[in-house]
Amino acid sequence: MTAWLVIPAAAVVGFAVGSTSPATWLARRRGVELATSGSGNPGATNVGRVLGRRFGVIVGLVDVLKGLLPTLAFLPFGETPALVAGTAAVLGHCYSPWLKGHGGKGVATSLGAILGVAPLFALLVVLVFAVVVVMTRWVALASVSAALFIIVAASFAAVSNEDSVSVGQIVSAFVIGVVVIARHRSNLTAKLRGH
Protein backbone atom coordinates (compact mmCIF):
# COMPACT_ATOMS: atom_id res chain seq x y z
CA MET A 1 0.00 0.00 0.00
CA THR A 2 1.30 3.49 -0.90
CA ALA A 3 2.65 5.25 2.20
CA TRP A 4 0.33 8.26 1.95
CA LEU A 5 -2.69 5.95 1.86
CA VAL A 6 -1.78 3.91 4.91
CA ILE A 7 -2.85 6.30 7.67
CA PRO A 8 -6.23 7.26 6.10
CA ALA A 9 -6.86 3.58 5.43
CA ALA A 10 -5.99 2.75 9.04
CA ALA A 11 -8.43 5.38 10.28
CA VAL A 12 -11.25 4.17 8.02
CA VAL A 13 -10.73 0.48 8.72
CA GLY A 14 -10.31 1.02 12.45
CA PHE A 15 -13.44 3.15 12.70
CA ALA A 16 -15.47 0.73 10.57
CA VAL A 17 -14.48 -2.27 12.68
CA GLY A 18 -14.99 -0.38 15.92
CA SER A 19 -18.43 0.86 14.91
CA THR A 20 -19.87 -2.65 14.69
CA SER A 21 -21.94 -3.55 17.74
CA PRO A 22 -21.81 -7.23 18.70
CA ALA A 23 -23.66 -6.38 21.90
CA THR A 24 -26.64 -4.96 20.02
CA TRP A 25 -26.64 -7.79 17.49
CA LEU A 26 -26.46 -10.51 20.14
CA ALA A 27 -29.17 -8.91 22.27
CA ARG A 28 -31.51 -8.59 19.31
CA ARG A 29 -30.90 -12.24 18.44
CA ARG A 30 -32.10 -12.98 21.98
CA GLY A 31 -35.14 -10.75 21.57
CA VAL A 32 -33.78 -7.92 23.71
CA GLU A 33 -33.31 -4.26 22.79
CA LEU A 34 -30.30 -3.00 24.74
CA ALA A 35 -31.22 0.65 24.25
CA THR A 36 -34.21 0.14 26.55
CA SER A 37 -32.77 -2.55 28.83
CA GLY A 38 -30.53 -2.26 31.85
CA SER A 39 -28.36 0.84 31.58
CA GLY A 40 -29.23 1.23 27.90
CA ASN A 41 -25.56 0.94 26.98
CA PRO A 42 -24.56 -1.35 24.08
CA GLY A 43 -21.56 -2.83 25.82
CA ALA A 44 -20.34 -5.94 27.60
CA THR A 45 -21.29 -4.82 31.11
CA ASN A 46 -24.90 -4.17 30.15
CA VAL A 47 -25.09 -7.40 28.15
CA GLY A 48 -23.87 -9.26 31.22
CA ARG A 49 -26.48 -7.51 33.31
CA VAL A 50 -29.35 -8.17 30.89
CA LEU A 51 -28.47 -11.51 29.26
CA GLY A 52 -26.14 -13.08 31.82
CA ARG A 53 -22.43 -13.13 32.62
CA ARG A 54 -21.54 -15.64 29.87
CA PHE A 55 -22.87 -13.37 27.13
CA GLY A 56 -21.21 -10.37 28.76
CA VAL A 57 -17.84 -12.11 28.65
CA ILE A 58 -18.34 -13.06 25.00
CA VAL A 59 -19.18 -9.48 24.02
CA GLY A 60 -16.25 -8.19 26.08
CA LEU A 61 -13.81 -10.46 24.26
CA VAL A 62 -15.20 -9.47 20.86
CA ASP A 63 -14.93 -5.80 21.83
CA VAL A 64 -11.26 -6.35 22.75
CA LEU A 65 -10.71 -7.89 19.32
CA LYS A 66 -12.33 -4.84 17.70
CA GLY A 67 -9.42 -2.78 19.00
CA LEU A 68 -6.72 -5.41 18.69
CA LEU A 69 -7.25 -6.72 15.15
CA PRO A 70 -7.16 -3.37 13.27
CA THR A 71 -4.08 -2.42 15.30
CA LEU A 72 -2.27 -5.64 14.42
CA ALA A 73 -3.40 -5.43 10.79
CA PHE A 74 -1.62 -2.09 10.33
CA LEU A 75 1.37 -2.75 12.61
CA PRO A 76 3.46 -4.10 9.66
CA PHE A 77 3.17 -0.61 8.11
CA GLY A 78 4.62 1.00 11.23
CA GLU A 79 3.62 2.05 14.71
CA THR A 80 1.76 5.22 13.67
CA PRO A 81 -0.74 3.49 11.35
CA ALA A 82 -1.31 0.87 14.05
CA LEU A 83 -1.99 3.55 16.66
CA VAL A 84 -4.35 5.36 14.28
CA ALA A 85 -6.25 2.14 13.56
CA GLY A 86 -6.62 1.30 17.24
CA THR A 87 -7.65 4.80 18.28
CA ALA A 88 -10.15 4.99 15.41
CA ALA A 89 -11.61 1.65 16.52
CA VAL A 90 -12.23 3.09 19.98
CA LEU A 91 -13.90 6.16 18.49
CA GLY A 92 -16.02 3.98 16.21
CA HIS A 93 -17.10 1.85 19.16
CA CYS A 94 -18.08 4.88 21.24
CA TYR A 95 -19.71 6.91 18.45
CA SER A 96 -21.07 4.32 16.05
CA PRO A 97 -22.97 5.67 13.04
CA TRP A 98 -25.02 2.44 13.08
CA LEU A 99 -26.28 3.44 16.52
CA LYS A 100 -26.94 7.06 15.53
CA GLY A 101 -23.72 8.31 17.07
CA HIS A 102 -24.11 6.35 20.28
CA GLY A 103 -22.07 3.38 21.40
CA GLY A 104 -20.33 1.62 24.25
CA LYS A 105 -17.98 3.05 26.84
CA GLY A 106 -14.85 2.00 24.97
CA VAL A 107 -13.07 0.13 27.77
CA ALA A 108 -12.62 -3.30 26.16
CA THR A 109 -11.88 -1.86 22.71
CA SER A 110 -9.30 0.49 24.24
CA LEU A 111 -7.64 -2.48 25.91
CA GLY A 112 -7.40 -4.24 22.56
CA ALA A 113 -5.92 -1.18 20.88
CA ILE A 114 -3.28 -0.79 23.60
CA LEU A 115 -2.56 -4.52 23.67
CA GLY A 116 -1.64 -4.43 19.99
CA VAL A 117 1.18 -1.92 20.39
CA ALA A 118 2.14 -2.03 24.08
CA PRO A 119 1.18 -5.38 25.65
CA LEU A 120 3.10 -4.84 28.90
CA PHE A 121 1.47 -1.46 29.42
CA ALA A 122 -1.92 -3.06 28.67
CA LEU A 123 -1.29 -5.51 31.52
CA LEU A 124 -0.65 -2.58 33.88
CA VAL A 125 -3.93 -0.99 32.78
CA VAL A 126 -5.76 -4.27 33.46
CA LEU A 127 -4.10 -4.45 36.89
CA VAL A 128 -5.31 -0.95 37.80
CA PHE A 129 -8.81 -1.85 36.61
CA ALA A 130 -8.84 -5.13 38.56
CA VAL A 131 -7.57 -3.57 41.81
CA VAL A 132 -10.24 -0.85 41.75
CA VAL A 133 -12.99 -3.37 40.95
CA VAL A 134 -11.93 -5.60 43.85
CA MET A 135 -11.74 -2.64 46.23
CA THR A 136 -14.95 -0.86 45.21
CA ARG A 137 -17.09 -3.34 43.22
CA TRP A 138 -17.76 -0.43 40.88
CA VAL A 139 -16.89 -1.13 37.24
CA ALA A 140 -17.39 2.47 36.09
CA LEU A 141 -14.91 3.78 38.67
CA ALA A 142 -12.44 1.05 37.71
CA SER A 143 -12.78 2.03 34.05
CA VAL A 144 -12.21 5.71 34.79
CA SER A 145 -9.28 4.86 37.06
CA ALA A 146 -7.67 2.82 34.28
CA ALA A 147 -8.26 5.68 31.82
CA LEU A 148 -6.71 8.18 34.26
CA PHE A 149 -3.73 5.86 34.66
CA ILE A 150 -3.28 5.90 30.88
CA ILE A 151 -3.39 9.70 30.79
CA VAL A 152 -1.03 10.09 33.76
CA ALA A 153 1.43 7.60 32.27
CA ALA A 154 1.31 9.43 28.92
CA SER A 155 1.82 12.79 30.67
CA PHE A 156 4.79 11.46 32.62
CA ALA A 157 6.32 10.07 29.43
CA ALA A 158 5.80 13.40 27.65
CA VAL A 159 7.33 15.47 30.46
CA SER A 160 10.27 13.13 31.04
CA ASN A 161 10.98 12.81 27.29
CA GLU A 162 11.06 9.03 27.66
CA ASP A 163 12.87 7.71 24.57
CA SER A 164 10.97 4.42 24.55
CA VAL A 165 7.61 6.21 24.18
CA SER A 166 6.74 7.88 20.87
CA VAL A 167 4.69 11.03 20.30
CA GLY A 168 2.09 8.84 18.58
CA GLN A 169 1.73 6.67 21.67
CA ILE A 170 1.29 9.73 23.87
CA VAL A 171 -1.36 11.27 21.61
CA SER A 172 -3.21 7.97 21.26
CA ALA A 173 -3.15 7.43 25.03
CA PHE A 174 -4.56 10.91 25.67
CA VAL A 175 -7.35 10.46 23.13
CA ILE A 176 -8.33 7.02 24.41
CA GLY A 177 -8.16 8.07 28.06
CA VAL A 178 -10.23 11.21 27.56
CA VAL A 179 -12.87 9.39 25.47
CA VAL A 180 -13.29 6.61 28.03
CA ILE A 181 -13.64 9.13 30.88
CA ALA A 182 -16.13 11.21 28.88
CA ARG A 183 -18.21 8.12 28.12
CA HIS A 184 -18.45 7.36 31.87
CA ARG A 185 -19.41 10.88 32.90
CA SER A 186 -23.12 10.03 33.27
CA ASN A 187 -22.30 6.97 35.43
CA LEU A 188 -20.17 9.04 37.78
CA THR A 189 -22.71 11.86 37.97
CA ALA A 190 -25.57 9.48 38.73
CA LYS A 191 -23.53 7.74 41.46
CA LEU A 192 -22.56 11.02 43.09
CA ARG A 193 -26.24 12.04 43.11
CA GLY A 194 -27.12 8.79 44.79
CA HIS A 195 -29.02 7.17 41.89
Side-chain angles (χ1 to χ4, degrees):
M1 186 181 294
T2 307
W4 63 272
L5 286 176
V6 173
I7 290 180
V12 171
V13 171
F15 191 88
V17 172
S19 68
T20 60
S21 181
T24 301
W25 179 82
L26 178 60
R28 286 176 179 169
R29 292 277 294 182
R30 306 285 297 181
V32 175
E33 187 59 54
L34 280 182
T36 56
S37 303
S39 66
N41 181 60
T45 301
N46 196 36
V47 169
R49 183 182 297 118
V50 175
L51 299 179
R53 181 175 297 179
R54 178 167 63 95
F55 290 108
V57 170
I58 291 171
V59 169
L61 290 174
V62 174
D63 282 347
V64 170
L65 290 175
K66 284 166 51 176
L68 177 61
L69 294 180
T71 302
L72 292 180
F74 282 91
L75 194 55
F77 297 98
E79 181 187 76
T80 298
L83 290 168
V84 169
T87 305
V90 174
L91 293 173
H93 175 82
C94 294
Y95 307 103
S96 173
W98 311 115
L99 300 176
K100 299 180 180 179
H102 299 289
K105 304 295 187 182
V107 178
T109 306
S110 295
L111 174 60
I114 296 169
L115 191 61
V117 291
L120 292 180
F121 182 66
L123 290 178
L124 290 176
V125 173
V126 170
L127 180 61
V128 171
F129 178 89
V131 167
V132 178
V133 165
V134 169
M135 291 178 62
T136 67
R137 303 293 180 187
W138 188 11
V139 174
L141 181 60
S143 301
V144 169
S145 298
L148 283 172
F149 173 74
I150 292 170
I151 292 173
V152 170
S155 300
F156 179 79
V159 171
S160 63
N161 292 317
E162 180 63 49
D163 292 337
S164 63
V165 180
S166 68
V167 173
Q169 287 178 331
I170 293 170
V171 172
S172 178
F174 267 105
V175 171
I176 287 174
V178 168
V179 168
V180 170
I181 291 171
R183 295 297 293 166
H184 284 83
R185 183 178 54 193
S186 60
N187 299 77
L188 298 176
T189 301
K191 188 75 171 181
L192 291 174
R193 290 178 177 174
H195 297 306

